[in-house]
């Protein structure tokens, strides 16, 4: 089972500057790929532009199209996804109020821990989001010990309750 927790990040000034450079780079490539539409499979950011264009062409469940994808300014492009290996979680603060996440090329990022992470979860993805009240981090965890629910029960008159 995959699940996501969101925490407030407390990066240092150098880490904030580095994250801003990364977000601006992703914004540049998103805008460039949206304009060019060539070699979209080379970068993760390109997949994001591809998904936006597919949503535009496909429309919603009722067949209505959404607005065409638009170029993103700095104020509209606010997130950065980091995937893959190289993440380490450290909880070495007094009382467990802070988590420290080791992110490649950034270092240890301090995160306010308002909820404990469950045991057995493996960190698969990290997303930094800039909001009005600060920088937040989404931790995407995967836990193989949690069973996946299956819909084996087919509703019939014998096993269903309701108002008639």
């Amino acid at each position: 089972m995959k699940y996501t927790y969101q925490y407030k990040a407390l990066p240092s000034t150098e880490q904030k500057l580095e994250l801003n450079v990364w977000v601006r780079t992703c914004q540049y490539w998103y805008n460039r790929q949206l304009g060019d539409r060539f070699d979209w499979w080379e970068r993760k950011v390109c997949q994001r532009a591809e998904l936006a264009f597919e949503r535009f062409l496909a429309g919603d469940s009722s067949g209505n199209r959404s607005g065409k994808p638009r170029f993103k300014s700095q104020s509209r492009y606010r997130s950065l996804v980091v995937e893959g290996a190289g993440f380490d979680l450290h909880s070495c603060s007094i009382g467990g109020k802070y988590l420290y996440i080791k992110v490649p090329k950034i270092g240890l990022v301090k995160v306010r821990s308002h909820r404990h992470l469950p045991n057995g979860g493996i960190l698969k993805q990290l997303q930094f989001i800039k909001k009005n009240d600060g920088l937040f981090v989404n931790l995407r965890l995967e836990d193989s010990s949690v069973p996946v629910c299956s819909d084996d029960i087919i509703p019939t008159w014998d096993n269903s309750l309701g108002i008639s």
Side-chain angles (χ1 to χ4, degrees):
M1 183 171 99
K2 293 181 181 176
Y3 47 92
T4 304
Y5 287 104
Q6 185 174 67
Y7 297 101
K8 183 165 177 76
L10 304 168
S12 66
T13 304
E14 295 84 19
Q15 290 171 339
K16 284 181 188 176
L17 293 173
E18 186 71 25
L19 286 170
N20 281 334
V21 167
W22 283 16
V23 169
R24 285 185 181 178
T25 303
C26 290
Q27 172 211 350
Y28 168 78
W29 280 107
Y30 176 88
N31 289 335
R32 181 168 178 189
Q33 291 296 324
L34 193 59
D36 294 344
R37 293 190 63 207
F38 294 117
D39 299 328
W40 286 31
W41 52 88
E42 290 181 2
R43 297 178 180 267
K44 184 71 178 168
V45 177
C46 303
Q47 290 176 1
R48 191 169 167 178
E50 172 82 19
L51 183 62
F53 206 81
E54 284 178 8
R55 286 184 190 143
F56 165 64
L57 293 176
D60 60 3
S61 61
S62 61
N64 297 330
R65 280 186 164 187
S66 59
K68 69 177 183 178
R70 47 184 158 177
F71 294 100
K72 306 271 186 189
S73 65
Q74 283 181 341
S75 62
R76 292 186 138 260
Y77 201 95
R78 297 178 287 264
S79 66
L80 168 71
V81 176
V82 182
E83 287 190 41
F87 301 127
D88 287 327
L89 289 173
H90 303 282
S91 180
C92 57
S93 64
I94 298 173
K97 291 185 179 180
Y98 298 104
L99 264 173
Y100 293 92
I101 303 170
K102 185 178 180 187
V103 182
K105 297 188 179 180
I106 294 224
L108 284 176
V109 178
K110 185 178 179 181
V111 174
R112 163 81 84 198
S113 177
H114 59 83
R115 178 189 322 168
H116 294 291
L117 292 173
N119 293 334
I122 300 169
L123 183 58
K124 291 290 188 179
Q125 187 182 55
L126 192 69
Q127 181 181 23
F128 289 99
I129 301 172
K130 287 172 31 175
K131 294 186 179 182
N132 288 341
D133 54 344
L135 194 66
F136 288 81
V137 63
N138 285 347
L139 304 178
R140 176 103 176 173
L141 302 161
E142 184 175 2
D143 193 356
S144 59
S145 65
V146 177
V148 178
C149 296
S150 61
D151 296 333
D152 294 338
I153 299 173
I154 299 171
T156 64
W157 288 104
D158 296 330
N159 64 6
S160 300
L161 294 176
I163 301 173
S164 56

